[in-house]
Amino acid sequence: MSRPVVGVDLGGTKIAAAALCDRILGPSTMHPTQLSSSDALVDQLVEVVREVGGTELEAVGVGVPSVVDFESGRVVSSVNVPLADIPLRQVLGEQLGRPVFVDNDATVAALAEAHDETLELVAGNLVMLTIGTGVGGGIVLGGRIYRGSTGGA
């Protein structure tokens, strides 16, 4: 049996997370987002990851409602959650002791929608709009995320 990977959807009002292990998606959990400070929110993210994935994780992926520098995993700017200028990939990676991937939530949602439940690409090109606490979007071209010249496409 392989170690689970955990996916986290951080939103302005809730955090949803679930673990995937051996191609089986475990139960999801949802919690109101801790918005009092960046430290409190990072602590909550660590707790939620451990709640659904335990301590023996392979990796963690986090979608955040923010502009993210994908190469470094740093949140560049954020309106609805207190993560602006936080090197989230580094901070979570240090606390969890596992690789962490951080990207914009609408971008990863677009990539997910381009694939079916068996992870086969079913839509090579698509544009996705997300509407929740905020408004966002993601673009997939040729089966790959399109980031644009500044990374914020």
Side-chain angles (χ1 to χ4, degrees), residues 10 33-42 66 75 78-86:
L10 170 61
T33 305
Q34 176 57 256
L35 298 173
S36 61
S37 71
S38 58
D39 288 340
L41 181 52
V42 168
S66 309
V75 176
S78 191
V79 175
N80 294 317
V81 294
L83 291 177
D85 204 32
I86 301 290

Side-chain angles (χ1 to χ4, degrees), residues 76-139:
V76 176
S77 65
S78 191
V79 175
N80 294 317
V81 294
L83 291 177
D85 204 32
I86 301 290
L88 192 58
R89 181 173 70 195
Q90 176 186 341
V91 171
L92 288 176
E94 288 170 357
Q95 291 193 35
L96 294 166
R98 296 290 183 254
V100 175
F101 301 88
V102 177
D103 207 342
N104 173 268
D105 59 349
T107 299
V108 295
L111 187 61
E113 287 299 322
H115 294 80
D116 68 13
E117 63 277 355
T118 66
L119 306 180
E120 293 295 320
L121 183 66
V122 293
N125 302 303
L126 68 84
V127 173
M128 178 166 194
L129 300 176
T130 59
I131 300 173
T133 305
V135 177
I139 302 170

Side-chain angles (χ1 to χ4, degrees), residues 17-19 24-29 51-52:
I24 298 170
L25 186 63
S28 63
T29 186
E51 175 186 338
V52 298

